[in-house]
């Protein structure tokens, strides 16, 4: 069944569809020494503390038109943070046309729409490779809603809230609702790609690929940053302080890390580079 942005579906009761967005972002950094790794993790913990993550998720609640019922947040030792927000139905107002459009959401602007019994969560995972000098920060954000607006409308804001090298985005519509004649509706809006909810200026920065199962209302998009500047991946110094050989080696390591995350395949299992092997032998 096709719906235009102007159509309002007359339902029998409440909209029981569950729309779930899973947004995973990765930030990668080269940290040569233990001190650099610890400094990077301290930086990440400060930048993405439970308090700041709570502010981000609160803005998401505003975008999807939700009332916050409860907030549970925690900064972990030695690193990482989690926030879970339970939200309930916001004030029911006229649904704007863009609620059904495949278009990016605000950054943020208050959008008040019908919503009920939903949740928003974020968990962070700073970690590092034991040998190869790569540190990686991952944040997992899940937005699950019931009602007339898709959580994809929060995607634009989420992308702008994190510094990301790789993104994996999943969207799924589950369950069904009924129209006034009792017919089941398994989705209440048109969608051909998650990419349509990402602004053009952001898409220009990433290489993207879709894996979609339309008949199951499952949508998946992978994104890898297109342009590479080594200075953006060094912590505490610049590439000008490195020899040409070091620049080449570090660039290869970082790009391999990004490719492994995107492909889900380990490219160099157990690799130890020559300089580190010599150091270990000493």
């Amino acid at each position: 069944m096709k719906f235009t942005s102007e159509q309002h579906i007359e339902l029998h009761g409440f909209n029981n569809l569950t729309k779930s967005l899973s947004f995973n972002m990765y930030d990668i950094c080269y940290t040569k020494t233990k001190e650099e790794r610890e400094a990077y993790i301290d930086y990440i913990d400060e930048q993405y503390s439970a308090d700041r993550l709570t502010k981000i998720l609160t803005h998401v609640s505003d975008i999807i038109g939700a009332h916050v019922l409860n907030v549970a947040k925690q900064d972990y030792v030695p690193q990482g943070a989690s926030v879970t927000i339970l939200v309930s139905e916001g004030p029911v107002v006229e649904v704007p046309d863009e609620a059904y459009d495949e278009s990016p959401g605000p950054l943020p602007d208050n959008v008040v729409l019908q919503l009920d019994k939903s949740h928003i969560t974020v968990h962070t995972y700073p970690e590092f490779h034991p040998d190869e000098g790569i540190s990686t920060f991952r944040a997992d954000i899940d937005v699950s809603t019931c009602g007339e607006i898709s959580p994809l409308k929060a995607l634009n804001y989420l992308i702008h809230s994190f510094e990301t090298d790789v993104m994996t985005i999943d969207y799924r519509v589950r369950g069904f609702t009924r129209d006034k004649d009792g017919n089941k509706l398994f989705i209440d809006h048109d969608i051909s790609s998650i990419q349509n909810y990402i602004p053009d200026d952001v898409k220009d920065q990433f290489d993207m690929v879709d894996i979609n199962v339309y008949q199951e209302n499952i949508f998946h998009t992978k994104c890898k940053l297109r342009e590479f500047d080594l200075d953006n991946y060094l912590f505490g110094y610049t590439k000008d302080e490195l020899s040409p050989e070091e620049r080449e080696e570090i660039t290869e390591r970082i790009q391999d890390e990004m490719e492994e995350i995107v492909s889900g395949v380990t490219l160099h299992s157990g690799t130890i580079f020559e300089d580190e092997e010599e150091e270990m032998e000493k």
Side-chain angles (χ1 to χ4, degrees):
M1 183 179 294
K2 297 290 184 181
F3 305 105
T4 68
S5 60
E6 290 77 22
Q7 269 185 302
H8 290 256
I9 307 164
E10 295 186 56
L11 299 180
H12 170 70
F14 183 70
N15 191 333
N16 291 316
L17 290 170
T18 298
K19 305 166 191 175
S20 299
L21 168 68
S22 178
F23 171 71
N24 309 98
M25 61 75 59
Y26 298 83
D27 177 78
I28 300 163
C29 184
Y30 179 77
T31 51
K32 184 175 182 179
T33 66
K34 178 182 177 182
E35 290 74 19
E36 289 177 12
R37 290 195 296 267
E38 291 175 347
Y40 172 74
I41 289 175
D42 287 344
Y43 166 79
I44 288 296
D45 277 347
E46 181 179 353
Q47 284 291 104
Y48 299 106
S49 66
D51 285 341
R52 182 174 180 226
L53 293 171
T54 299
K55 292 179 181 178
I56 291 173
L57 296 196
T58 301
H59 280 311
V60 171
S61 299
D62 290 339
I63 290 170
I64 63 176
H67 285 320
V68 174
L69 293 177
N70 184 65
V71 177
K73 59 183 179 179
Q74 181 66 50
D75 287 304
Y76 296 110
V77 176
Q79 67 254 352
S82 294
V83 179
T84 298
I85 296 181
L86 296 180
V87 294
S88 67
E89 179 180 272
V92 179
V93 298
E94 183 179 355
V95 180
D97 294 343
E98 61 267 20
Y100 291 101
D101 282 344
E102 286 186 88
S103 60
L107 275 181
D109 197 5
N110 284 339
V111 180
V112 184
L113 297 172
Q114 186 174 352
L115 193 75
D116 196 19
K117 298 181 182 67
S118 304
H119 66 273
I120 309 168
T121 65
V122 59
H123 306 282
T124 67
Y125 304 90
E127 64 88 44
F128 57 88
H129 192 285
D131 301 315
E132 296 187 7
I134 297 292
S135 293
T136 306
F137 166 65
R138 183 178 105 239
D140 296 346
I141 300 97
D142 292 288
V143 185
S144 182
T145 70
C146 298
E148 294 173 328
I149 193 172
S150 167
L152 283 168
K153 289 297 183 180
L155 182 57
N156 185 24
Y157 170 68
L158 287 172
I159 292 172
H160 282 81
S161 297
F162 295 88
E163 297 177 3
T164 179
D165 299 306
V166 175
M167 299 183 292
T168 60
I169 308 165
D170 295 280
Y171 178 66
R172 183 175 184 182
V173 181
R174 294 175 292 175
F176 65 86
T177 193
R178 293 183 185 273
D179 67 17
K180 64 178 182 178
D181 297 319
N183 299 310
K184 293 184 180 70
L185 302 174
F186 292 92
I187 193 167
D188 62 357
H189 64 95
D190 288 338
I191 175 173
S192 57
S193 172
I194 292 173
Q195 293 188 37
N196 294 331
Y197 291 84
I198 302 174
D200 289 339
D201 64 324
V202 175
K203 286 191 286 189
D204 289 342
Q205 300 173 34
F206 290 87
D207 292 319
M208 296 185 171
V209 61
D210 282 353
I211 304 171
N212 300 321
V213 186
Y214 294 105
Q215 65 271 27
E216 298 294 337
N217 296 324
I218 296 174
F219 305 87
H220 178 73
T221 298
K222 295 181 178 182
C223 315
K224 184 177 73 171
L225 201 62
R226 183 169 292 160
E227 294 188 5
F228 185 90
D229 184 347
L230 183 56
D231 279 337
N232 295 331
Y233 299 89
L234 301 175
F235 195 75
Y237 54 95
T238 67
K239 61 188 177 186
D240 294 335
E241 301 173 56
L242 302 172
S243 68
E245 293 77 15
E246 288 175 317
R247 293 181 200 173
E248 182 179 355
E249 182 179 294
I250 294 170
T251 296
E252 180 181 352
R253 295 185 189 188
I254 294 170
Q255 291 181 335
D256 282 352
E257 180 80 359
M258 294 172 66
E259 188 59 38
E260 287 181 349
I261 292 171
V262 170
S263 65
V265 176
T266 299
L267 300 177
H268 300 291
S269 178
T271 298
I272 298 178
F273 286 78
E274 291 182 3
D275 58 341
E276 289 163 353
E277 187 173 12
E278 292 174 359
E279 186 67 26
M280 292 176 66
E281 290 176 352
K282 292 178 183 179

